Amino acid sequence: MDDAVSHISQAYPDRVEVRGRDLCGDLMGRVGFTEYFHLLLTGEEPTDDQRFFLDLLLVAIAEHGMMPTNVAARMTLAADPGSLQGAVAAGILGCGPVILGTSEECARMLQAGHAEGGDPARVATDLARAVHESGARLPGFGHPVHRPLDPRAERILELADERAVSGPHVALARHLREAVAMIWGRPLTMNVALPIAAVMLDLGFPATAVKAVPILARTGSLLAHLAEEREQPLGFRMAAAAERAIAYEPPP
Amino acid sequence: MDDAVSHISQAYPDRVEVRGRDLCGDLMGRVGFTEYFHLLLTGEEPTDDQRFFLDLLLVAIAEHGMMPTNVAARMTLAADPGSLQGAVAAGILGCGPVILGTSEECARMLQAGHAEGGDPARVATDLARAVHESGARLPGFGHPVHRPLDPRAERILELADERAVSGPHVALARHLREAVAMIWGRPLTMNVALPIAAVMLDLGFPATAVKAVPILARTGSLLAHLAEEREQPLGFRMAAAAERAIAYEPPP
Amino acid sequence: MDDAVSHISQAYPDRVEVRGRDLCGDLMGRVGFTEYFHLLLTGEEPTDDQRFFLDLLLVAIAEHGMMPTNVAARMTLAADPGSLQGAVAAGILGCGPVILGTSEECARMLQAGHAEGGDPARVATDLARAVHESGARLPGFGHPVHRPLDPRAERILELADERAVSGPHVALARHLREAVAMIWGRPLTMNVALPIAAVMLDLGFPATAVKAVPILARTGSLLAHLAEEREQPLGFRMAAAAERAIAYEPPP
Amino acid sequence: MDDAVSHISQAYPDRVEVRGRDLCGDLMGRVGFTEYFHLLLTGEEPTDDQRFFLDLLLVAIAEHGMMPTNVAARMTLAADPGSLQGAVAAGILGCGPVILGTSEECARMLQAGHAEGGDPARVATDLARAVHESGARLPGFGHPVHRPLDPRAERILELADERAVSGPHVALARHLREAVAMIWGRPLTMNVALPIAAVMLDLGFPATAVKAVPILARTGSLLAHLAEEREQPLGFRMAAAAERAIAYEPPP
């Protein structure tokens, strides 16, 4: 059964080995958590650019106001104050595509577009046109709050250019924005999910790693909301407001 | 390793054995889900009274308006429409003591009180006085909506008397209500958690089984809310109302 | 905002109204949990046949040995013994399509097939052929343990015939089985998910209700495993066996 | 209702404000994720020492082999491959005190001990003696794998000394170790939870923040295991090994 193998870590009585390294003698005190997360996720320590952008993307996506995930987590802690992990889990369960964006879907779209080869402007136009005609939503576009621009998306692109990591996936993302404005007949907000995916692919991350970033980031934010909830309980107040917004009527 | 044993069930290629019975040849079509739940939970099929009251208690506790657990579950489904089980899980995580009552805590209190022996009125008075002096909350008393009575609690006690299953734990629950009114100087609502615990103990359930009832019941209710959510989306509307109820201010 | 309406329930100080009925005065003591679950889920009390088959399907699908969901839930309780709801939630999160079957997918397939009209044997053959050619899996067929028959599926079909509730969706399910044997060149096990879907559709349940049944059923089973876990801890023993089955190797 | 206030963040159409700062213009690209997590959690940017030790503690606690939480998460992803967040949530639910240590409990113990004032050696002895006599477990001591020392705990203490952040809580932790060896009559392993708590308190973190660190760290590790699971499926293999470790026997 030579495929019953994991390459992540093993604890021994006197040491812990992680990704072939000695956790206590080598990693602790030398690498920060972002670098360690990269090592855990990919098996390799990040380059400076990978580290910089992993930090940037985690910071970009972690916190965005009193999101439904934060609301659900705070209500859950209010109902079960002893279970911080239960409240975090409830919040993470809301990290579905509607709330947390579609970064992995964006990554697959960009990968497929890039794999086609040829002129990226043309690839972007064909892709946008096909989605528009099918009536589906184009991942990475549209935002309920940010208009006309998602400032996080713009800042990521700006830093990717400044640091010269923008490659073909970032280029394709920009072509998509132009194609969308033309085909939809008006500009749509490019939301933060698309540049996250584009920059990660240009830095060499696999598409399957892309969704890990928003989930880790959002966990940090949930923990902040739950720390505040323990000091300043808002969960039941929010639940009451939610309940009042809905009327009960007997079935017809 | 003779303790590495489970007594619940085993699947074989041509049959499934549950609690020593043949699922397909014996149980399916003969027992209802409530009886089956009793068999799963305790290893034995219920008596008529056990079945009647297990049904009664499940019905009593399942649904109670747009509770925070339902709100959290509906928000979660709105954010991740493909994961019904994720939304159910988020709702169940809110089934902590503050929302779902303290039925298991009540059961332990009643068991301890009954184990003391002696005059139950005196036991109840001593217990209530000790809790009152310590400043703690007495499990099974108080309700945010139901005053002066929780109609579910009253109906359970009424049916327990009618069917002659009321025993020492139900008696102790009633003594507690009187003791509480005297010691607190005003009546407190006996909520549904206390009769659930008392009736289950009088019917021979172990205290550890008591919390299973509200969790199964509430799962049924969550599934109903989530079925409605798929037809009539309210999750994001409730999240928006919750968010509007809270103001952001920068840290001082 | 006349669409901000829920039709399930409302709690008032002196009563609880559920689906237009008085919980305490009407439902408690009159209806069993299965009937109540039907009322919650659909807004209507079940007919005798609906009640019988809802019970039957809940019993059929609840428990099936030491399933991965039970293993995960028991490990979770071992790690956090105070949170029964956390352990239940962990178990429910594993109720994905691979483990818990594809009953809702089966329901959509049967609905679409039936909506086409025409000869059901022909519809079944076309459907099976299309899936076979695409290389996809056909929902409702195949099982890791039960061969050549899933005894739960057979028993459901038998009772549906006996009680004369078998209608066009059950018929289509049977045609599918024959078509599959012909097109795949060998019989595949029709698993329990397909008759669950077929019978529910023939009894008038909407397709969106179909997945609620396995989730409620499995919650009952999880609660039984967790009650046993509290008496007979197996979670860490199973975790150790799982860990031993995998070797760590440093990344290549 | 001037207490309906949150101090964390707010999204506006053209910007996002977090903890009084402009996310895009100020924080993104300037602060790393660890610093940002500190800002989210506490409202303030960390000092160099706070940042260093927050990184150190996150790295120390994130990953520790094929833990039950990783096993449960991998099984959950195997059962529901489309829901990465569901699998992460299942893993986090196992972050209870038995698995993830008792860092918050340690923090409360150290705070209480320090608040007593007086000679810390005496405080430690009294505390250890009281726990020993009560028959309870002393939080922060004992480990199933690491003996006689937990190398992570030793490395944290070493770096706390090197960087001169060791204060009264670290001192108390060391006195506890000595007191334990004397009172239990043999050395017990000081596990990683105690130095995490001690260093965080000496750096000025509130006790309520202490558990946030292991939960964020463990989320990073879960995401790594789930990324590996998508490439190298082990979940069902581990579930099968777990199942095989347990025998079914009918109830007596």
Side-chain angles (χ1 to χ4, degrees):
Chain A
M1 287 205 293
D2 55 4
D3 55 344
V5 166
S6 170
H7 294 288
I8 300 181
S9 82
Q10 177 81 37
Y12 303 94
D14 63 339
R15 70 194 173 87
V16 181
E17 185 173 319
V18 179
R19 293 292 196 188
R21 288 153 179 85
D22 180 23
L23 171 61
C24 303
D26 176 10
L27 298 165
M28 281 173 67
R30 178 173 68 81
V31 302
F33 182 57
T34 300
E35 290 151 285
Y36 189 57
F37 178 55
H38 190 285
L39 174 65
L40 284 171
L41 197 64
T42 69
E44 287 172 24
E45 296 188 35
T47 64
D48 279 356
D49 276 337
Q50 286 171 332
R51 205 269 312 141
F52 178 86
F53 282 96
L54 190 49
D55 268 325
L56 175 73
L57 302 179
L58 288 164
V59 170
I61 195 75
E63 173 62 27
H64 197 258
M66 195 61 85
M67 303 282 285
T69 45
N70 293 329
V71 175
R74 294 182 80 137
M75 286 180 192
T76 304
L77 191 69
D80 191 8
S83 180
L84 181 61
Q85 62 268 33
V88 172
I92 286 175
L93 289 171
C95 290
V98 184
I99 285 295
L100 197 55
T102 51
S103 46
E104 185 168 344
E105 212 180 331
C106 288
R108 298 201 180 285
M109 175 178 73
L110 292 173
Q111 266 187 330
H114 180 54
E116 275 186 31
D119 175 32
R122 175 64 172 275
V123 168
T125 307
D126 291 352
L127 204 160
R129 198 184 311 277
V131 172
H132 188 258
E133 280 169 10
S134 76
R137 294 176 63 107
L138 188 63
F141 288 91
H143 196 280
V145 174
H146 294 307
R147 285 196 195 90
L149 297 175
D150 180 336
R152 302 165 298 168
E154 302 311 308
R155 182 71 176 133
I156 292 169
L157 293 177
E158 185 180 50
L159 285 163
D161 291 350
E162 257 183 54
R163 295 217 156 210
V165 309
S166 298
H169 299 95
V170 167
L172 185 56
R174 283 179 159 133
H175 285 297
L176 266 174
R177 163 145 63 180
E178 285 167 40
V180 160
M182 188 183 68
I183 290 165
W184 265 256
R186 64 193 159 88
L188 298 185
T189 302
M190 178 203 283
N191 66 47
V192 69
L194 193 62
I196 287 178
V199 168
M200 287 187 75
L201 292 174
D202 278 341
L203 285 164
F205 287 90
T208 52
V210 170
K211 199 174 176 189
V213 168
I215 292 182
L216 181 67
R218 209 45 74 98
T219 303
S221 155
L222 285 164
L223 288 163
H225 277 274
L226 294 168
E228 189 183 70
E229 180 72 19
R230 290 170 83 172
E231 301 294 322
Q232 165 77 332
L234 302 175
F236 283 147
R237 186 189 291 263
M238 292 195 288
E243 191 190 347
R244 277 194 309 271
I246 307 301
Y248 164 72
E249 287 178 11
Chain B
M1 285 206 294
D2 55 5
D3 56 344
V5 167
S6 171
H7 294 288
I8 300 181
S9 83
Q10 177 82 38
Y12 303 94
D14 62 341
R15 69 193 174 87
V16 182
E17 185 172 318
V18 179
R19 293 294 196 187
R21 288 153 179 85
D22 179 23
L23 170 62
C24 303
D26 175 10
L27 297 166
M28 282 173 65
R30 179 172 69 81
V31 301
F33 182 56
T34 300
E35 291 151 285
Y36 190 56
F37 178 55
H38 190 285
L39 175 65
L40 284 171
L41 197 63
T42 69
E44 289 172 23
E45 295 189 37
T47 64
D48 278 357
D49 276 337
Q50 286 171 331
R51 204 269 312 140
F52 178 85
F53 282 95
L54 190 50
D55 267 325
L56 176 74
L57 303 179
L58 287 164
V59 170
I61 195 74
E63 173 62 27
H64 197 258
M66 195 61 85
M67 304 281 287
T69 46
N70 293 329
V71 175
R74 293 181 80 136
M75 285 180 193
T76 304
L77 190 70
D80 191 9
S83 180
L84 181 61
Q85 62 267 33
V88 172
I92 286 175
L93 289 171
C95 290
V98 183
I99 284 296
L100 198 56
T102 51
S103 45
E104 185 168 342
E105 211 179 333
C106 289
R108 299 200 180 284
M109 176 178 72
L110 293 172
Q111 266 187 331
H114 179 55
E116 275 185 31
D119 175 31
R122 175 65 173 274
V123 168
T125 307
D126 291 352
L127 204 159
R129 198 184 310 278
V131 172
H132 188 258
E133 280 170 9
S134 76
R137 294 177 64 107
L138 188 64
F141 288 91
H143 197 280
V145 174
H146 295 307
R147 286 197 194 91
L149 296 175
D150 181 335
R152 302 165 298 168
E154 303 310 309
R155 183 70 177 134
I156 293 169
L157 293 177
E158 184 180 49
L159 286 163
D161 291 350
E162 258 183 53
R163 296 217 154 210
V165 309
S166 298
H169 299 95
V170 167
L172 185 56
R174 283 179 159 132
H175 285 297
L176 265 173
R177 163 144 66 180
E178 285 167 39
V180 160
M182 189 183 69
I183 290 165
W184 265 256
R186 64 193 159 89
L188 298 186
T189 303
M190 178 202 284
N191 66 46
V192 69
L194 192 62
I196 287 178
V199 168
M200 287 187 75
L201 293 175
D202 278 341
L203 284 165
F205 286 91
T208 51
V210 170
K211 199 176 176 187
V213 169
I215 291 182
L216 181 67
R218 208 45 71 98
T219 303
S221 155
L222 285 165
L223 287 163
H225 277 274
L226 294 168
E228 188 182 72
E229 180 71 19
R230 290 169 82 173
E231 302 294 322
Q232 166 78 331
L234 302 174
F236 283 148
R237 186 189 290 262
M238 291 195 289
E243 191 190 347
R244 277 194 309 272
I246 307 301
Y248 165 72
E249 287 178 12
Chain C
M1 286 205 292
D2 54 5
D3 56 343
V5 166
S6 171
H7 294 289
I8 300 180
S9 83
Q10 177 81 38
Y12 303 94
D14 62 341
R15 69 193 173 88
V16 181
E17 184 173 319
V18 179
R19 293 292 196 187
R21 288 154 178 84
D22 180 23
L23 171 62
C24 302
D26 176 9
L27 297 166
M28 282 173 66
R30 179 172 68 81
V31 300
F33 182 57
T34 300
E35 291 150 285
Y36 190 58
F37 178 54
H38 190 285
L39 174 64
L40 284 171
L41 197 64
T42 69
E44 288 172 24
E45 296 187 36
T47 63
D48 279 356
D49 276 337
Q50 287 171 332
R51 204 268 313 140
F52 177 85
F53 282 95
L54 191 48
D55 268 325
L56 176 72
L57 303 180
L58 288 164
V59 170
I61 195 74
E63 174 61 29
H64 197 258
M66 195 61 85
M67 304 280 287
T69 46
N70 293 329
V71 175
R74 293 181 81 137
M75 285 180 193
T76 304
L77 190 69
D80 190 8
S83 180
L84 181 60
Q85 63 266 33
V88 172
I92 287 176
L93 289 171
C95 290
V98 182
I99 284 296
L100 199 54
T102 52
S103 46
E104 185 169 343
E105 212 180 333
C106 288
R108 298 201 180 285
M109 175 178 73
L110 293 173
Q111 266 187 329
H114 179 54
E116 275 185 33
D119 175 30
R122 176 64 173 276
V123 168
T125 307
D126 290 353
L127 205 158
R129 198 185 310 279
V131 172
H132 188 258
E133 280 170 8
S134 77
R137 293 176 64 108
L138 188 63
F141 288 91
H143 196 280
V145 174
H146 295 307
R147 286 197 195 91
L149 297 175
D150 180 337
R152 302 165 297 168
E154 302 310 308
R155 183 71 177 134
I156 293 169
L157 292 177
E158 184 181 49
L159 286 163
D161 291 350
E162 257 183 54
R163 294 217 153 211
V165 308
S166 298
H169 298 94
V170 166
L172 185 54
R174 283 179 158 132
H175 285 297
L176 266 173
R177 162 145 62 179
E178 285 167 40
V180 159
M182 189 184 68
I183 291 165
W184 265 255
R186 63 193 160 90
L188 298 186
T189 303
M190 178 202 283
N191 66 47
V192 70
L194 192 62
I196 287 178
V199 168
M200 288 188 74
L201 292 175
D202 278 341
L203 285 164
F205 286 91
T208 52
V210 170
K211 199 175 176 187
V213 169
I215 291 182
L216 181 66
R218 208 45 72 100
T219 304
S221 154
L222 285 164
L223 288 162
H225 277 274
L226 294 168
E228 188 182 71
E229 180 71 21
R230 290 169 82 173
E231 303 293 322
Q232 165 78 332
L234 303 174
F236 283 147
R237 185 188 293 262
M238 291 194 288
E243 191 190 346
R244 276 194 308 271
I246 308 300
Y248 164 73
E249 288 177 10
Chain D
M1 284 206 293
D2 54 5
D3 55 343
V5 166
S6 170
H7 294 289
I8 300 180
S9 83
Q10 176 82 38
Y12 303 94
D14 62 340
R15 70 193 174 87
V16 181
E17 185 173 319
V18 179
R19 293 292 196 188
R21 288 154 178 84
D22 180 24
L23 171 62
C24 303
D26 176 10
L27 297 166
M28 282 172 66
R30 178 173 68 80
V31 301
F33 181 57
T34 300
E35 292 151 284
Y36 189 57
F37 178 55
H38 189 285
L39 175 64
L40 284 170
L41 197 64
T42 68
E44 288 171 27
E45 296 188 34
T47 63
D48 278 356
D49 276 337
Q50 286 171 331
R51 203 270 311 140
F52 177 85
F53 282 95
L54 190 50
D55 268 325
L56 176 73
L57 302 179
L58 288 164
V59 170
I61 196 74
E63 174 62 28
H64 196 257
M66 195 62 84
M67 303 281 286
T69 46
N70 293 329
V71 175
R74 293 181 81 137
M75 286 180 192
T76 304
L77 191 70
D80 191 8
S83 180
L84 181 60
Q85 63 266 34
V88 172
I92 287 175
L93 289 170
C95 290
V98 183
I99 284 296
L100 198 54
T102 51
S103 46
E104 185 169 342
E105 212 179 333
C106 288
R108 298 202 180 285
M109 175 178 72
L110 292 173
Q111 267 187 329
H114 180 54
E116 275 186 30
D119 174 31
R122 178 64 173 276
V123 168
T125 308
D126 291 353
L127 206 159
R129 198 184 311 276
V131 172
H132 188 258
E133 281 168 8
S134 76
R137 292 177 65 107
L138 188 64
F141 287 90
H143 196 280
V145 174
H146 295 307
R147 283 196 197 93
L149 297 175
D150 180 337
R152 302 165 298 167
E154 303 310 309
R155 183 71 177 134
I156 292 169
L157 293 177
E158 182 180 50
L159 286 163
D161 291 350
E162 258 183 52
R163 295 217 155 211
V165 309
S166 298
H169 299 95
V170 167
L172 185 55
R174 282 179 160 133
H175 285 296
L176 267 173
R177 163 146 63 180
E178 285 168 40
V180 160
M182 188 183 69
I183 291 165
W184 265 256
R186 62 193 160 91
L188 299 185
T189 302
M190 177 201 285
N191 66 47
V192 69
L194 192 62
I196 288 178
V199 168
M200 288 187 75
L201 293 174
D202 279 341
L203 284 164
F205 287 90
T208 52
V210 170
K211 199 175 175 187
V213 168
I215 291 182
L216 181 67
R218 209 45 73 101
T219 304
S221 155
L222 286 164
L223 288 162
H225 277 274
L226 294 168
E228 188 183 70
E229 180 71 20
R230 290 170 82 173
E231 303 293 322
Q232 165 77 332
L234 302 175
F236 283 147
R237 185 188 292 262
M238 291 195 288
E243 191 190 347
R244 275 193 310 271
I246 307 300
Y248 164 72
E249 288 177 10

